[in-house]
Amino acid sequence: NAGVTQTPKFQVLKTGQSMTLQCAQDMNHNSMYWYRQDPGMGLRLIYYSASEGTTDKGEVPNGYNVSRLNKREFSLRLESAAPSQTSVYFCASLLLGEFRANVLTFGAGSRLTVL
Amino acid sequence: RKEVEQDPGPFNVPEGATVAFNCTYSNSASQSFFWYRQDCRKEPKLLMSVYSSGNEDGRFTAQLNRASQYISLLIRDSKLSDSATYLCVVRFTGNQFYFGTGTSLTVIP
């Protein structure tokens, strides 16, 4: 059971380049999330998808787009990367249900550097 | 203003000490509360959920005060392995989860 898998683990981009971060979960979870983590800022929600076919903005959506391809996969796209998007990106998933089931499971993270 | 506020620390405590972390949240409609642990350069992992009546898991005790919009985590008999960053997490309506900036703990031998 792999849980939440993110690719790539590391990426270096030049300003203006585009790229897509991939996330897949094999736990049959309903909701999926993208966060970024910067020093001193904690994790900030970029976008989330409550269920297949829906996506919503979080705290810091500017400069990003997302696609909930199917129940398993939720991708994050940077159309024109900027140095301010240098960060560690975490994908997470959530099984909706009773209170005790509402626990986020995270992937190992994707470290992105934009030069 | 951030939705969830934490004292970033760092907290440096000797082994065996008791340490407490605090967290406040801004949205009174918040639904669920959690403490996550994050080790250096790793993903966050659930430490414990926080229930309205307070709850304990071994050396860890979590408390919730809805009236004051305040959450706490108490660690007793600190171990070297407790060294990590502790993240306060609040779930809002629509299943949005917001994180505090984290509190850094180092347990010293």
Side-chain angles (χ1 to χ4, degrees):
Chain A
N1 187 344
V4 179
T5 303
Q6 292 182 231
T7 55
K9 286 187 166 45
F10 301 93
Q11 184 72 51
V12 179
L13 292 176
K14 294 180 180 177
T15 296
Q17 287 185 318
S18 61
M19 78 157 298
T20 299
L21 299 177
Q22 306 285 356
C23 176
Q25 51 90 11
D26 61 2
M27 298 172 286
N28 201 35
H29 283 181
N30 310 99
S31 299
M32 297 185 74
Y33 302 78
W34 276 105
Y35 288 88
R36 62 177 287 175
Q37 186 173 32
D38 304 292
M41 300 292 290
L43 277 83
R44 291 181 292 169
L45 181 62
I46 305 171
Y47 271 94
Y48 68 104
S49 170
S51 60
E52 187 179 353
T54 68
T55 61
D56 287 285
K57 296 178 180 179
E59 299 172 89
V60 288
N62 291 343
Y64 304 96
N65 287 303
V66 290
S67 294
R68 183 74 183 267
L69 304 170
N70 47 55
K71 191 171 186 179
R72 289 188 65 246
E73 298 173 288
F74 188 38
S75 63
L76 178 71
R77 183 161 178 83
L78 287 71
E79 291 290 352
S80 178
S84 60
Q85 294 178 304
T86 294
S87 189
V88 180
Y89 291 85
F90 287 103
C91 178
S93 69
L94 172 74
L95 176 65
L96 291 174
E98 64 183 49
F99 174 76
R100 290 171 194 266
N102 291 327
V103 175
L104 288 172
T105 301
F106 283 87
S110 298
R111 299 181 185 281
L112 175 65
T113 301
V114 183
L115 302 175
Chain B
R1 180 188 173 188
K2 279 187 68 69
E3 300 282 357
V4 181
E5 301 266 11
Q6 281 184 260
D7 179 351
F11 285 71
N12 299 312
V13 302
E15 268 187 295
T18 296
V19 61
F21 304 139
N22 301 319
C23 170
T24 57
Y25 59 95
S26 60
N27 189 334
S28 60
S30 302
Q31 297 185 324
S32 307
F33 310 90
F34 310 87
W35 285 99
Y36 276 69
R37 170 187 169 134
Q38 186 175 27
D39 294 294
C40 187
R41 302 175 76 81
K42 297 286 186 70
E43 73 272 24
K45 293 184 178 177
L46 179 70
L47 177 68
M48 59 196 299
S49 301
V50 185
Y51 305 132
S52 295
S53 55
N55 49 297
E56 189 173 304
D57 183 1
R59 297 181 293 108
F60 299 85
T61 300
Q63 296 281 354
L64 168 64
N65 183 325
R66 282 190 182 269
S68 302
Q69 298 181 196
Y70 171 93
I71 307 157
S72 66
L73 176 69
L74 184 76
I75 305 175
R76 292 182 299 279
D77 189 22
S78 298
K79 312 290 186 191
L80 295 177
S81 58
D82 293 335
S83 297
T85 296
Y86 291 83
L87 302 166
C88 176
V89 182
V90 177
R91 182 172 72 99
F92 296 150
T93 54
N95 284 312
Q96 297 184 62
F97 286 74
Y98 284 87
F99 285 70
T101 54
T103 300
S104 174
L105 172 66
T106 301
V107 181
I108 304 163

